[in-house]
Amino acid sequence: MGQDFRLPDLGEGLPDAELVSWLIAEGDEVALNQNIAEVETAKAVIELPSPFAGTVQKLHHAAGDVVEVGEVLITFGGQDAADAAVAASEATAEGEEETEKATPNLVGYGAAPRRSARPQRRTRVARADDARGPDTAVLEAAPHDAIVEQPPERPMERPRSTPPVRKLAKDLGVDLALVSGSGQAGLITRSDVEAYAARVGVADATAAAEAGRERAQAADAASARAAQDGDRTTRRPIRGVRKATAEAMVASAFTAPHVSTFHTVDVTATMQLVASLKSDRALADHRIGVMAIAAKAVCLALGRNPSLNAKWDAAAGEIVEHHYVNLGIAAATDRGLIVPVIPDADALTLVELADAITELAQTARSGKTPPSAMTGGTFSITNFGVFGIEAGTPILNPGEAGILGLGSVQRRPWEHEGGIALREVMTLSLSFDHRLVDGAEGSRFLADVGSILVEPGRAMLMR
Protein backbone atom coordinates (compact mmCIF):
# COMPACT_ATOMS: atom_id res chain seq x y z
CA MET A 1 0.00 0.00 0.00
CA GLY A 2 1.52 3.34 -1.05
CA GLN A 3 1.34 6.65 0.70
CA ASP A 4 1.16 9.96 -1.16
CA PHE A 5 3.02 13.04 0.02
CA ARG A 6 1.37 16.22 -1.23
CA LEU A 7 2.98 19.65 -1.46
CA PRO A 8 2.22 21.31 1.88
CA ASP A 9 1.34 24.92 2.54
CA LEU A 10 4.81 26.32 3.20
CA GLY A 11 3.49 28.92 5.62
CA GLU A 12 3.37 31.87 3.21
CA GLY A 13 -0.19 31.54 1.91
CA LEU A 14 1.16 30.84 -1.59
CA PRO A 15 -0.86 28.63 -3.96
CA ASP A 16 2.08 26.85 -5.58
CA ALA A 17 5.84 26.38 -5.73
CA GLU A 18 8.37 25.46 -8.41
CA LEU A 19 10.13 22.11 -8.05
CA VAL A 20 13.81 23.03 -8.38
CA SER A 21 15.35 19.57 -7.97
CA TRP A 22 14.82 16.12 -6.51
CA LEU A 23 17.30 15.03 -3.86
CA ILE A 24 16.21 11.38 -4.19
CA ALA A 25 15.25 9.04 -7.03
CA GLU A 26 12.66 6.31 -7.59
CA GLY A 27 13.68 3.16 -5.74
CA ASP A 28 15.63 5.00 -3.03
CA GLU A 29 15.09 4.21 0.63
CA VAL A 30 14.13 7.40 2.48
CA ALA A 31 14.31 8.05 6.22
CA LEU A 32 11.81 10.12 8.20
CA ASN A 33 12.60 13.85 7.88
CA GLN A 34 15.26 13.24 5.21
CA ASN A 35 15.34 16.11 2.70
CA ILE A 36 13.77 14.89 -0.53
CA ALA A 37 13.37 17.95 -2.76
CA GLU A 38 14.16 21.62 -3.23
CA VAL A 39 11.23 23.90 -4.07
CA GLU A 40 11.23 27.60 -4.84
CA THR A 41 8.48 29.84 -3.55
CA ALA A 42 8.05 33.54 -4.21
CA LYS A 43 10.69 34.23 -1.58
CA ALA A 44 13.32 31.52 -1.39
CA VAL A 45 14.43 27.98 -2.12
CA ILE A 46 13.32 25.55 0.59
CA GLU A 47 14.29 21.95 1.25
CA LEU A 48 11.33 19.66 1.92
CA PRO A 49 11.80 16.92 4.53
CA SER A 50 9.98 13.62 4.12
CA PRO A 51 7.08 12.92 6.49
CA PHE A 52 7.43 9.18 5.82
CA ALA A 53 10.08 6.48 5.89
CA GLY A 54 9.97 4.00 3.04
CA THR A 55 10.81 3.33 -0.58
CA VAL A 56 10.22 5.94 -3.27
CA GLN A 57 7.67 4.36 -5.61
CA LYS A 58 7.01 7.29 -7.93
CA LEU A 59 8.03 10.91 -8.46
CA HIS A 60 4.98 12.68 -9.89
CA HIS A 61 6.71 15.83 -11.15
CA ALA A 62 9.95 16.80 -12.86
CA ALA A 63 12.36 19.59 -12.00
CA GLY A 64 11.00 22.86 -13.35
CA ASP A 65 7.34 21.96 -12.82
CA VAL A 66 5.11 24.40 -10.92
CA VAL A 67 3.20 22.32 -8.37
CA GLU A 68 0.03 23.49 -6.67
CA VAL A 69 -0.39 23.14 -2.91
CA GLY A 70 -2.15 19.83 -2.30
CA GLU A 71 -0.89 18.10 -5.45
CA VAL A 72 0.89 14.75 -5.05
CA LEU A 73 4.67 15.15 -5.18
CA ILE A 74 5.82 11.64 -4.38
CA THR A 75 4.41 8.21 -3.56
CA PHE A 76 6.13 6.08 -0.93
CA GLY A 77 6.01 2.33 -0.44
CA GLY A 78 7.28 0.14 2.38
CA GLN A 79 5.79 -0.95 5.69
CA ASP A 80 6.39 2.35 7.50
CA ALA A 81 4.55 4.33 4.83
CA ALA A 82 1.76 1.74 4.73
CA ASP A 83 1.37 1.88 8.51
CA ALA A 84 1.17 5.66 8.37
CA ALA A 85 -1.48 5.54 5.66
CA VAL A 86 -3.61 3.02 7.60
CA ALA A 87 -3.21 4.96 10.85
CA ALA A 88 -4.25 8.20 9.20
CA SER A 89 -7.49 6.63 7.87
CA GLU A 90 -8.60 4.77 11.02
CA ALA A 91 -11.32 6.19 13.23
CA THR A 92 -12.44 4.89 16.62
CA ALA A 93 -15.96 3.49 16.86
CA GLU A 94 -18.67 5.70 18.44
CA GLY A 95 -18.59 5.66 22.24
CA GLU A 96 -14.99 4.47 22.49
CA GLU A 97 -12.08 6.72 23.41
CA GLU A 98 -10.36 8.12 20.31
CA THR A 99 -6.89 6.65 19.76
CA GLU A 100 -6.18 8.04 16.32
CA LYS A 101 -2.53 8.00 15.18
CA ALA A 102 -1.68 11.17 13.27
CA THR A 103 0.14 11.22 9.97
CA PRO A 104 3.84 11.87 10.67
CA ASN A 105 4.68 15.52 11.13
CA LEU A 106 6.52 17.42 8.40
CA VAL A 107 9.28 19.16 10.32
CA GLY A 108 8.98 22.94 10.21
CA TYR A 109 5.52 23.11 8.63
CA GLY A 110 3.17 22.18 11.45
CA ALA A 111 1.33 18.99 12.28
CA ALA A 112 -0.80 17.11 9.81
CA PRO A 113 -4.47 18.19 9.93
CA ARG A 114 -6.91 16.26 12.09
CA ARG A 115 -10.41 15.40 10.95
CA SER A 116 -11.71 18.60 12.47
CA ALA A 117 -9.96 21.72 13.67
CA ARG A 118 -12.44 22.56 16.42
CA PRO A 119 -14.69 20.77 18.96
CA GLN A 120 -17.76 19.16 17.35
CA ARG A 121 -21.28 18.64 18.53
CA ARG A 122 -23.60 15.68 18.11
CA THR A 123 -27.26 15.97 17.20
CA ARG A 124 -29.69 15.34 20.02
CA VAL A 125 -32.17 12.54 19.35
CA ALA A 126 -35.58 14.15 19.11
CA ARG A 127 -38.14 12.88 21.61
CA ALA A 128 -41.72 12.25 20.71
CA ASP A 129 -42.81 15.06 23.04
CA ASP A 130 -40.42 17.57 21.50
CA ALA A 131 -42.76 20.01 19.83
CA ARG A 132 -40.01 21.46 17.71
CA GLY A 133 -39.36 18.17 15.89
CA PRO A 134 -36.08 16.69 14.79
CA ASP A 135 -35.21 19.53 12.40
CA THR A 136 -35.09 22.07 15.23
CA ALA A 137 -33.75 19.82 17.98
CA VAL A 138 -31.24 21.52 20.29
CA LEU A 139 -27.62 20.33 19.96
CA GLU A 140 -26.16 18.93 23.13
CA ALA A 141 -22.46 19.44 23.79
CA ALA A 142 -20.36 16.36 23.05
CA PRO A 143 -17.09 15.56 24.79
CA HIS A 144 -14.29 17.79 23.49
CA ASP A 145 -12.53 14.96 21.66
CA ALA A 146 -15.61 13.14 20.39
CA ILE A 147 -15.88 12.20 16.71
CA VAL A 148 -19.36 13.10 15.54
CA GLU A 149 -21.08 12.20 12.29
CA GLN A 150 -22.98 15.16 10.82
CA PRO A 151 -25.71 14.93 8.18
CA PRO A 152 -24.14 15.18 4.72
CA GLU A 153 -26.36 18.12 3.79
CA ARG A 154 -24.88 20.13 6.67
CA PRO A 155 -21.11 20.25 6.23
CA MET A 156 -19.27 20.89 9.48
CA GLU A 157 -16.86 23.40 8.00
CA ARG A 158 -15.83 25.13 4.80
CA PRO A 159 -14.57 22.67 2.13
CA ARG A 160 -10.76 22.52 2.10
CA SER A 161 -9.08 23.43 -1.18
CA THR A 162 -6.33 25.61 -2.60
CA PRO A 163 -6.82 29.03 -4.26
CA PRO A 164 -6.28 27.70 -7.83
CA VAL A 165 -8.83 24.93 -7.24
CA ARG A 166 -11.36 27.43 -5.86
CA LYS A 167 -10.86 29.59 -8.96
CA LEU A 168 -11.38 26.57 -11.23
CA ALA A 169 -14.57 25.70 -9.37
CA LYS A 170 -15.81 29.27 -9.77
CA ASP A 171 -15.02 29.25 -13.49
CA LEU A 172 -16.90 25.97 -13.94
CA GLY A 173 -19.84 26.99 -11.75
CA VAL A 174 -19.18 24.16 -9.29
CA ASP A 175 -20.27 24.48 -5.65
CA LEU A 176 -17.33 23.10 -3.63
CA ALA A 177 -19.68 22.16 -0.79
CA LEU A 178 -21.03 19.41 -3.07
CA VAL A 179 -17.64 18.00 -4.03
CA SER A 180 -15.97 15.16 -2.15
CA GLY A 181 -12.25 15.66 -1.72
CA SER A 182 -9.86 12.83 -2.54
CA GLY A 183 -6.80 14.62 -1.15
CA GLN A 184 -5.17 14.29 2.24
CA ALA A 185 -7.63 15.02 5.07
CA GLY A 186 -10.40 15.60 2.50
CA LEU A 187 -8.58 18.25 0.46
CA ILE A 188 -10.47 18.99 -2.77
CA THR A 189 -8.16 18.75 -5.77
CA ARG A 190 -8.37 20.01 -9.35
CA SER A 191 -9.24 16.51 -10.58
CA ASP A 192 -12.09 16.29 -8.03
CA VAL A 193 -13.65 19.48 -9.41
CA GLU A 194 -13.19 18.45 -13.03
CA ALA A 195 -14.63 14.99 -12.35
CA TYR A 196 -17.67 16.48 -10.59
CA ALA A 197 -18.27 18.90 -13.45
CA ALA A 198 -18.07 16.08 -15.99
CA ARG A 199 -20.30 13.78 -13.92
CA VAL A 200 -23.19 16.19 -13.36
CA GLY A 201 -22.87 17.93 -16.72
CA VAL A 202 -22.47 21.39 -15.26
CA ALA A 203 -24.07 23.99 -17.49
CA ASP A 204 -20.87 25.95 -17.29
CA ALA A 205 -19.06 23.25 -19.21
CA THR A 206 -19.14 25.89 -21.92
CA ALA A 207 -16.93 28.03 -19.70
CA ALA A 208 -14.57 25.10 -19.29
CA ALA A 209 -14.42 24.58 -23.02
CA GLU A 210 -13.81 28.28 -23.54
CA ALA A 211 -11.04 28.24 -20.95
CA GLY A 212 -9.54 25.24 -22.70
CA ARG A 213 -9.65 27.05 -26.03
CA GLU A 214 -7.97 30.09 -24.48
CA ARG A 215 -5.22 27.89 -23.05
CA ALA A 216 -4.74 26.22 -26.41
CA GLN A 217 -4.59 29.57 -28.16
CA ALA A 218 -2.03 30.84 -25.67
CA ALA A 219 0.05 27.72 -26.21
CA ASP A 220 -0.19 28.10 -29.98
CA ALA A 221 0.84 31.75 -29.72
CA ALA A 222 3.82 30.84 -27.54
CA SER A 223 4.87 28.14 -30.01
CA ALA A 224 4.56 30.61 -32.87
CA ARG A 225 6.71 33.17 -31.04
CA ALA A 226 9.32 30.55 -30.27
CA ALA A 227 9.38 29.40 -33.91
CA GLN A 228 9.67 32.97 -35.12
CA ASP A 229 12.41 33.89 -32.64
CA GLY A 230 14.44 30.76 -33.24
CA ASP A 231 17.83 30.94 -31.58
CA ARG A 232 17.84 34.73 -31.39
CA THR A 233 16.01 35.01 -28.08
CA THR A 234 15.34 33.00 -24.93
CA ARG A 235 12.02 33.17 -23.10
CA ARG A 236 11.72 32.33 -19.41
CA PRO A 237 8.52 32.29 -17.36
CA ILE A 238 8.16 35.07 -14.77
CA ARG A 239 7.83 33.30 -11.44
CA GLY A 240 9.48 32.61 -8.10
CA VAL A 241 11.72 35.23 -6.50
CA ARG A 242 11.86 37.34 -9.69
CA LYS A 243 8.07 37.62 -9.88
CA ALA A 244 7.67 38.42 -6.18
CA THR A 245 10.42 41.07 -6.33
CA ALA A 246 8.85 42.72 -9.37
CA GLU A 247 5.42 42.86 -7.74
CA ALA A 248 6.86 44.29 -4.52
CA MET A 249 8.90 46.94 -6.32
CA VAL A 250 5.98 48.06 -8.48
CA ALA A 251 3.73 48.25 -5.40
CA SER A 252 6.38 50.26 -3.55
CA ALA A 253 7.05 52.65 -6.42
CA PHE A 254 3.36 53.45 -6.91
CA THR A 255 2.42 53.58 -3.21
CA ALA A 256 5.19 55.51 -1.46
CA PRO A 257 6.29 58.90 -2.85
CA HIS A 258 10.04 58.32 -3.25
CA VAL A 259 12.60 61.06 -2.73
CA SER A 260 16.33 60.44 -3.25
CA THR A 261 19.25 62.47 -1.98
CA PHE A 262 23.03 61.98 -2.31
CA HIS A 263 26.08 62.73 -0.21
CA THR A 264 29.69 62.17 -1.28
CA VAL A 265 32.12 61.78 1.61
CA ASP A 266 35.82 61.15 2.27
CA VAL A 267 35.97 57.66 3.79
CA THR A 268 39.76 57.42 3.99
CA ALA A 269 39.64 57.06 7.79
CA THR A 270 37.08 54.24 7.48
CA MET A 271 39.26 52.40 4.97
CA GLN A 272 42.24 52.77 7.30
CA LEU A 273 40.14 51.34 10.13
CA VAL A 274 39.10 48.38 7.94
CA ALA A 275 42.76 47.68 7.10
CA SER A 276 43.74 47.90 10.76
CA LEU A 277 41.01 45.49 11.86
CA LYS A 278 41.89 43.08 9.06
CA SER A 279 45.50 42.90 10.26
CA ASP A 280 44.47 42.24 13.88
CA ARG A 281 45.05 38.53 14.52
CA ALA A 282 42.46 38.55 17.28
CA LEU A 283 39.83 39.37 14.62
CA ALA A 284 41.11 36.95 11.97
CA ASP A 285 37.87 34.95 12.06
CA HIS A 286 35.72 38.03 11.41
CA ARG A 287 35.25 39.90 8.12
CA ILE A 288 34.78 43.52 9.17
CA GLY A 289 34.41 45.61 6.02
CA VAL A 290 32.84 48.86 4.87
CA MET A 291 29.36 47.29 4.87
CA ALA A 292 29.59 46.41 8.57
CA ILE A 293 30.78 49.89 9.52
CA ALA A 294 28.05 51.48 7.38
CA ALA A 295 25.47 49.22 9.04
CA LYS A 296 26.65 50.34 12.47
CA ALA A 297 26.50 53.97 11.33
CA VAL A 298 22.92 53.46 10.05
CA CYS A 299 21.80 52.00 13.39
CA LEU A 300 23.26 54.96 15.27
CA ALA A 301 21.80 57.51 12.85
CA LEU A 302 18.33 55.92 13.04
CA GLY A 303 18.39 56.43 16.80
CA ARG A 304 18.86 60.16 16.17
CA ASN A 305 16.38 60.32 13.28
CA PRO A 306 13.48 58.00 14.18
CA SER A 307 11.25 59.07 11.26
CA LEU A 308 13.51 56.96 9.00
CA ASN A 309 12.75 53.92 11.16
CA ALA A 310 8.98 53.98 10.81
CA LYS A 311 6.15 52.75 8.60
CA TRP A 312 2.96 54.21 7.21
CA ASP A 313 -0.06 52.19 8.42
CA ALA A 314 -2.78 53.35 6.03
CA ALA A 315 -5.38 50.89 7.37
CA ALA A 316 -5.05 52.20 10.93
CA GLY A 317 -4.40 55.80 9.90
CA GLU A 318 -1.21 55.82 11.97
CA ILE A 319 2.54 56.34 11.68
CA VAL A 320 4.34 53.55 13.52
CA GLU A 321 7.82 54.38 14.86
CA HIS A 322 10.01 51.38 15.73
CA HIS A 323 12.21 51.44 18.82
CA TYR A 324 14.44 48.73 17.37
CA VAL A 325 16.24 48.26 14.07
CA ASN A 326 15.60 45.18 11.96
CA LEU A 327 18.16 45.86 9.26
CA GLY A 328 17.56 44.49 5.77
CA ILE A 329 20.60 43.78 3.62
CA ALA A 330 19.81 43.57 -0.11
CA ALA A 331 21.48 40.53 -1.68
CA ALA A 332 21.75 39.79 -5.41
CA THR A 333 21.36 36.07 -6.08
CA ASP A 334 21.07 33.90 -9.19
CA ARG A 335 17.32 33.77 -8.60
CA GLY A 336 16.85 37.53 -8.13
CA LEU A 337 17.09 40.19 -5.45
CA ILE A 338 16.20 39.28 -1.89
CA VAL A 339 16.42 41.32 1.32
CA PRO A 340 17.20 39.15 4.38
CA VAL A 341 16.87 40.86 7.75
CA ILE A 342 19.22 41.11 10.74
CA PRO A 343 16.89 41.32 13.78
CA ASP A 344 17.70 43.91 16.45
CA ALA A 345 20.79 45.04 14.58
CA ASP A 346 21.02 48.13 16.79
CA ALA A 347 21.81 45.89 19.78
CA LEU A 348 24.81 44.22 18.07
CA THR A 349 28.45 45.20 18.33
CA LEU A 350 30.46 45.94 15.19
CA VAL A 351 31.96 42.44 15.24
CA GLU A 352 28.53 40.84 15.72
CA LEU A 353 27.11 42.90 12.86
CA ALA A 354 29.98 41.83 10.60
CA ASP A 355 29.40 38.17 11.45
CA ALA A 356 25.66 38.50 10.82
CA ILE A 357 26.25 40.13 7.42
CA THR A 358 28.73 37.41 6.42
CA GLU A 359 26.36 34.62 7.40
CA LEU A 360 23.44 36.34 5.67
CA ALA A 361 25.40 36.72 2.42
CA GLN A 362 26.59 33.10 2.41
CA THR A 363 23.08 31.80 3.04
CA ALA A 364 21.62 34.04 0.32
CA ARG A 365 24.19 32.94 -2.27
CA SER A 366 23.42 29.29 -1.54
CA GLY A 367 19.69 29.95 -2.01
CA LYS A 368 18.88 28.71 1.49
CA THR A 369 17.47 31.91 3.01
CA PRO A 370 14.17 30.92 4.71
CA PRO A 371 11.07 33.09 4.12
CA SER A 372 10.95 33.99 7.82
CA ALA A 373 14.35 35.71 7.47
CA MET A 374 12.97 38.16 4.89
CA THR A 375 10.15 39.71 6.90
CA GLY A 376 9.89 42.37 9.57
CA GLY A 377 12.57 44.75 8.26
CA THR A 378 12.45 48.40 9.36
CA PHE A 379 15.26 49.88 7.18
CA SER A 380 17.48 48.49 4.43
CA ILE A 381 20.95 48.87 2.94
CA THR A 382 21.95 47.99 -0.62
CA ASN A 383 25.55 47.93 -1.84
CA PHE A 384 25.82 48.61 -5.56
CA GLY A 385 29.42 49.70 -4.98
CA VAL A 386 30.50 46.05 -5.30
CA PHE A 387 29.67 46.37 -9.01
CA GLY A 388 31.78 49.51 -9.39
CA ILE A 389 28.72 51.80 -9.43
CA GLU A 390 29.09 55.24 -7.80
CA ALA A 391 25.44 56.09 -7.05
CA GLY A 392 21.85 55.10 -7.70
CA THR A 393 18.24 55.62 -6.64
CA PRO A 394 17.24 52.48 -4.71
CA ILE A 395 13.55 51.61 -4.39
CA LEU A 396 12.14 51.23 -0.90
CA ASN A 397 11.48 47.78 0.46
CA PRO A 398 7.67 47.74 0.98
CA GLY A 399 6.67 48.87 4.47
CA GLU A 400 9.93 50.69 5.20
CA ALA A 401 10.63 54.43 5.31
CA GLY A 402 14.15 54.43 3.92
CA ILE A 403 16.91 52.58 2.11
CA LEU A 404 20.58 53.55 1.90
CA GLY A 405 22.70 52.74 -1.14
CA LEU A 406 26.48 52.43 -0.80
CA GLY A 407 28.52 53.43 -3.85
CA SER A 408 31.99 52.22 -4.79
CA VAL A 409 35.02 53.54 -2.93
CA GLN A 410 37.23 55.44 -5.38
CA ARG A 411 40.51 57.34 -5.10
CA ARG A 412 39.96 60.93 -6.19
CA PRO A 413 41.59 64.34 -5.83
CA TRP A 414 39.87 65.84 -2.79
CA GLU A 415 40.24 68.91 -0.64
CA HIS A 416 42.05 67.88 2.54
CA GLU A 417 43.53 70.09 5.26
CA GLY A 418 43.63 73.13 3.01
CA GLY A 419 45.14 71.34 0.00
CA ILE A 420 44.36 68.78 -2.71
CA ALA A 421 45.18 65.14 -2.06
CA LEU A 422 44.19 61.71 -3.33
CA ARG A 423 41.54 60.42 -0.92
CA GLU A 424 39.17 57.42 -0.67
CA VAL A 425 35.74 58.78 -1.59
CA MET A 426 32.25 57.22 -1.50
CA THR A 427 28.79 58.46 -2.55
CA LEU A 428 25.83 57.61 -0.30
CA SER A 429 22.37 57.41 -1.93
CA LEU A 430 19.31 57.65 0.30
CA SER A 431 15.73 57.05 -0.85
CA PHE A 432 12.92 57.71 1.59
CA ASP A 433 9.12 57.83 1.83
CA HIS A 434 8.16 61.51 1.73
CA ARG A 435 4.92 60.78 3.60
CA LEU A 436 7.02 59.89 6.65
CA VAL A 437 10.24 61.80 6.16
CA ASP A 438 10.71 65.48 5.37
CA GLY A 439 13.67 66.61 3.30
CA ALA A 440 15.38 68.11 6.36
CA GLU A 441 15.09 64.84 8.32
CA GLY A 442 16.42 62.80 5.42
CA SER A 443 19.34 65.19 5.03
CA ARG A 444 20.20 65.04 8.75
CA PHE A 445 20.16 61.25 8.69
CA LEU A 446 22.44 61.12 5.67
CA ALA A 447 24.79 63.68 7.24
CA ASP A 448 24.97 61.58 10.44
CA VAL A 449 25.88 58.42 8.50
CA GLY A 450 28.42 60.35 6.46
CA SER A 451 30.08 61.93 9.51
CA ILE A 452 30.69 58.49 11.03
CA LEU A 453 32.25 57.21 7.80
CA VAL A 454 34.44 60.32 7.59
CA GLU A 455 35.55 59.98 11.21
CA PRO A 456 34.59 56.58 12.70
CA GLY A 457 35.59 57.85 16.15
CA ARG A 458 32.54 60.13 16.09
CA ALA A 459 30.42 57.06 16.75
CA MET A 460 31.69 57.27 20.33
CA LEU A 461 29.90 60.64 20.69
CA MET A 462 26.51 59.47 19.41
CA ARG A 463 23.65 58.03 21.37
Side-chain angles (χ1 to χ4, degrees):
M1 179 178 181
Q3 173 64 30
D4 291 336
F5 170 44
R6 300 171 184 271
L7 179 67
D9 183 340
L10 300 174
E12 304 174 63
L14 300 172
D16 54 39
E18 179 183 350
L19 177 60
V20 176
S21 65
W22 285 111
L23 304 179
I24 43 83
E26 291 183 357
D28 286 357
E29 289 292 329
V30 175
L32 181 65
N33 291 328
Q34 176 182 335
N35 289 331
I36 57 174
E38 290 183 321
V39 296
E40 181 180 2
T41 68
K43 293 184 177 180
V45 175
I46 298 172
E47 290 186 342
L48 287 182
S50 171
F52 304 109
T55 305
V56 178
Q57 282 188 346
K58 183 177 181 181
L59 304 179
H60 292 267
H61 293 275
D65 288 356
V66 176
V67 184
E68 294 180 1
V69 171
E71 281 193 47
V72 177
L73 270 178
I74 183 172
T75 298
F76 290 94
Q79 191 58 43
D80 290 343
D83 290 345
V86 172
S89 63
E90 288 180 344
T92 307
E94 182 177 0
E96 295 180 353
E97 180 180 356
E98 180 183 359
T99 58
E100 176 188 10
K101 292 165 62 180
T103 301
N105 181 36
L106 180 60
V107 173
Y109 299 101
R114 297 171 66 88
R115 270 183 291 277
S116 176
R118 54 179 179 267
Q120 306 297 327
R121 293 174 178 270
R122 58 182 172 85
T123 306
R124 167 178 169 251
V125 178
R127 298 188 303 271
D129 59 350
D130 193 334
R132 292 169 295 182
D135 289 337
T136 55
V138 178
L139 295 178
E140 297 178 342
H144 183 78
D145 60 351
I147 300 175
V148 181
E149 295 295 331
Q150 293 284 355
E153 66 272 15
R154 295 182 182 179
M156 290 189 292
E157 54 188 64
R158 178 186 177 187
R160 298 182 64 248
S161 60
T162 61
V165 171
R166 288 195 289 273
K167 183 178 185 304
L168 175 64
K170 182 178 179 181
D171 292 342
L172 296 179
V174 171
D175 183 356
L176 286 178
L178 304 176
V179 180
S180 298
S182 63
Q184 188 175 20
L187 183 74
I188 298 173
T189 66
R190 176 182 292 272
S191 59
D192 293 332
V193 173
E194 292 173 342
Y196 180 87
R199 185 171 65 253
V200 301
V202 176
D204 290 302
T206 305
E210 180 62 28
R213 283 194 295 271
E214 290 177 357
R215 287 194 295 269
Q217 290 170 358
D220 291 343
S223 298
R225 287 197 304 271
Q228 182 179 6
D229 293 345
D231 296 331
R232 294 170 61 85
T233 61
T234 298
R235 293 178 178 271
R236 291 180 291 120
I238 303 172
R239 60 193 184 201
V241 174
R242 181 70 63 184
K243 181 179 180 181
T245 300
E247 292 172 348
M249 293 299 98
V250 170
S252 175
F254 287 95
T255 300
H258 284 57
V259 173
S260 296
T261 185
F262 308 90
H263 186 30
T264 302
V265 294
D266 179 351
V267 295
T268 304
T270 289
M271 300 309 294
Q272 291 171 346
L273 174 61
V274 168
S276 174
L277 296 175
K278 189 177 296 184
S279 63
D280 188 339
R281 286 187 292 180
L283 299 173
D285 295 333
H286 308 281
R287 299 180 59 183
I288 305 176
V290 176
M291 173 65 87
I293 296 175
K296 189 64 177 177
V298 163
C299 291
L300 291 169
L302 288 175
R304 293 161 59 93
N305 303 275
S307 64
L308 272 295
N309 194 40
K311 74 173 182 178
W312 184 273
D313 189 341
E318 298 173 337
I319 293 173
V320 182
E321 283 191 1
H322 307 295
H323 303 300
Y324 58 90
V325 179
N326 284 352
L327 190 62
I329 305 293
T333 72
D334 293 340
R335 302 179 187 280
L337 180 71
I338 63 174
V339 188
V341 173
I342 300 174
D344 296 314
D346 55 318
L348 302 180
T349 66
L350 178 60
V351 173
E352 291 170 338
L353 260 179
D355 290 346
I357 292 171
T358 299
E359 181 181 358
L360 174 152
Q362 292 173 346
T363 304
R365 281 195 295 268
S366 67
K368 306 300 184 184
T369 304
S372 59
M374 292 182 281
T375 59
T378 64
F379 189 94
S380 293
I381 298 178
T382 183
N383 184 9
F384 30 69
V386 296
F387 305 107
I389 304 301
E390 299 177 37
T393 54
I395 295 179
L396 295 169
N397 205 27
E400 299 177 10
I403 180 171
L404 179 70
L406 304 181
S408 60
V409 178
Q410 301 178 345
R411 286 182 65 80
R412 292 187 193 172
W414 198 259
E415 190 279 329
H416 178 65
E417 296 180 351
I420 302 296
L422 282 176
R423 305 289 289 177
E424 305 281 353
V425 175
M426 170 192 282
T427 298
L428 305 174
S429 306
L430 174 69
S431 292
F432 56 86
D433 185 342
H434 215 339
R435 297 174 301 176
L436 291 158
V437 184
D438 294 333
E441 295 170 310
S443 297
R444 282 195 294 267
F445 169 82
L446 199 55
D448 283 343
V449 173
S451 68
I452 295 175
L453 295 178
V454 170
E455 295 183 63
R458 284 189 174 274
M460 302 295 293
L461 303 176
M462 292 187 175
R463 62 186 180 91

